């Protein structure tokens, strides 16, 4: 069983999201605790909200007072409503929220039935309940409930923290090549990504970018890949390193194979629906882009936003560290496409980006900006202090990253790559 814990400030939004499922006959209120009962057993958003009001009014200084938890058994588990009620009750008690008011919603809008729990993390006196080591305690609670209710274990996908080998590249250090190698040689073992854009979104978390270079040698088209380390602002900070320096797995040919394999594996990945619902909840319960990103970050999901020079979003990528998968928003659903986020964040997307980089892709000649935030602090393979920028936007680090090389004038990366291929060709010929 997988648990996702979200925190927010919009209780009405969290209740409304779940109640909408009920109203559309894609869900039901399965259980309540310390919630005012109704005569007919039916609830409205206002009725449910009224039971939380005393806790919210008593709140002293907690910014994120709302708990929105989803519990997702394995699709093979056939969990009854009674067991779902018991699981929700046991989980809340194990997490220290057993005395809080909460509502348990069952969702049936997808094949895999699961439950959502809406509650608050401040007690009746307005004091915030302890949340130290919450992710670890949640994992332990899930393992305990799996045994108690004979559910499929999710530990098969768990990784030993000691095998963590990744950390962001520091371009100021002398061993940049080995730093990049320690990431690109091993990423395919852990993550599934389906395109070069998705690959670059993932690389940007480690302050790396990859660029495709093309040329001709004796009238024969040649294609390759080069890597750069990025600085604090996400700009290229080093000379290019050709992919062959890092082994076959870092080259374009093997990446293409990985893309195809990822497409097949991701088709049957149950975490897709979990991630989709998590993002939808964040959309409904956040007030702006920064809050949206932070909510997802707290649940182990990084967000990469691509904007053109007018500030309009044309690409959304989500990196789920729980399932180690990378998704474009449009792959998860039409409601998570770039256009929908433009509508949600009209005020923020109307602002012109501070910096842009040229895109030489045949698909687009427009200037682009990629925005990412600091990776989830609970993932050991990423340095928590990777940025030296001032702490703004609630501690999230906004950075730029180039996806494709410059399109105007002579491109030194392409020339360098072509010259190296020529040298190889001459050596083979002379040999």
């Amino acid at each position: 069983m997988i648990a996702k814990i979200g925190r927010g400030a919009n209780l009405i939004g969290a209740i409304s999201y779940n109640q909408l499922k009920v109203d559309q006959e894609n869900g039901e209120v399965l259980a309540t605790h310390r919630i005012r009962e109704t005569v007919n057993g039916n609830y409205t958003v206002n009725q449910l909200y009224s039971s939380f009001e005393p806790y919210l009014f008593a709140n002293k200084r907690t910014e994120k007072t709302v708990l929105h938890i989803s519990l997702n058994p394995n699709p093979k588990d056939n969990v009854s409503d009674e067991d779902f009620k018991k699981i929700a009750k046991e989980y809340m008690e194990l997490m220290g929220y057993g005395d809080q008011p909460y509502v348990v919603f069952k969702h049936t809008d997808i094949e895999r039935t699961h439950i959502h729990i809406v509650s608050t993390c401040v007690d009746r006196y307005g004091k915030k309940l302890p949340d130290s080591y919450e992710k670890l305690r949640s994992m332990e609670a899930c393992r305990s409930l799996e045994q108690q209710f004979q559910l499929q274990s999710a530990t098969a996908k768990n990784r030993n923290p000691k095998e963590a080998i990744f950390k962001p590249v520091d371009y100021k250090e002398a061993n940049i090549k080995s730093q990049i190698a320690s990431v690109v040689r091993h990423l395919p073992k852990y993550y599934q990504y389906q395109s070069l854009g998705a690959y670059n979104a993932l690389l940007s978390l480690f302050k790396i970018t990859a660029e495709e270079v093309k040329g001709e040698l004796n009238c024969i088209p040649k294609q390759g890949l080069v890597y750069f380390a990025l600085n604090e602002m996400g700009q290229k900070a080093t000379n290019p390193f050709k992919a062959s320096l890092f082994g076959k797995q870092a080259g374009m040919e093997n990446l293409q194979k990985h893309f195809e394999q990822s497409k097949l594996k991701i088709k049957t990945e149950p975490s897709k629906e979990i991630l989709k619902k998590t993002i939808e909840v964040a959309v409904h319960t956040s007030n702006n882009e920064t809050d949206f990103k932070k909510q997802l970050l707290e649940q182990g999901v990084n967000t990469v936003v691509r904007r053109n020079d007018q500030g309009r979003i044309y690409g959304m990528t989500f990196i789920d560290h729980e399932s180690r998968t990378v998704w474009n928003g449009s792959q998860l659903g039409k409601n998570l496409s770039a256009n929908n986020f433009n509508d949600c964040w009209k005020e923020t997307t109307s602002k012109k980006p501070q910096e842009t980089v040229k895109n030489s892709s045949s698909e687009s000649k427009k200037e682009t900006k990629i925005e990412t935030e600091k990776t989830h602090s609970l993932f050991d393979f990423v340095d928590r202090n990777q940025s030296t920028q001032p702490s703004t936007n609630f501690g999230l680090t906004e950075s730029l990253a180039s996806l494709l090389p410059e399109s105007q004038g002579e491109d030194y990366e392409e020339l360098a790559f072509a010259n190296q291929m020529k040298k190889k060709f001459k050596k083979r010929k002379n040999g």
Side-chain angles (χ1 to χ4, degrees), residues 250-278:
M252 201 64 210
E253 183 177 347
N254 277 57
L255 278 176
Q256 291 288 2
K257 293 179 181 178
H258 186 77
F259 298 159
E260 294 303 317
Q261 291 171 357
S262 295
K263 289 177 183 178
L264 294 175
K265 291 180 180 179
I266 284 178
K267 277 184 179 179
T268 57
E269 177 57 63
S271 62
K272 176 181 178 179
E273 288 297 334
I274 299 175
L275 176 62
K276 179 183 177 183
K277 296 302 176 185
T278 301

Side-chain angles (χ1 to χ4, degrees), residues 9-29:
N10 187 354
L11 180 60
I12 290 289
I15 297 174
S16 298
Y17 169 79
N18 288 280
Q19 186 61 37
L20 181 62
K21 302 288 185 183
V22 178
D23 295 340
Q24 294 175 340
E25 298 184 353
N26 288 322
E28 63 179 289
V29 175

Side-chain angles (χ1 to χ4, degrees), residues 286-300:
S286 60
N287 297 318
N288 52 56
E289 180 177 349
T290 300
D291 190 33
F292 170 80
K293 287 182 176 180
K294 189 181 180 186
Q295 282 197 40
L296 291 181
L297 186 64
E298 289 171 348
Q299 299 184 66

Side-chain angles (χ1 to χ4, degrees), residues 59-72:
N59 177 40
K60 297 176 181 178
R61 57 179 181 273
T62 303
E63 180 185 349
K64 298 293 183 71
T65 57
V66 182
L67 280 174
H68 194 155
I69 303 166
S70 69
L71 298 180
N72 305 269

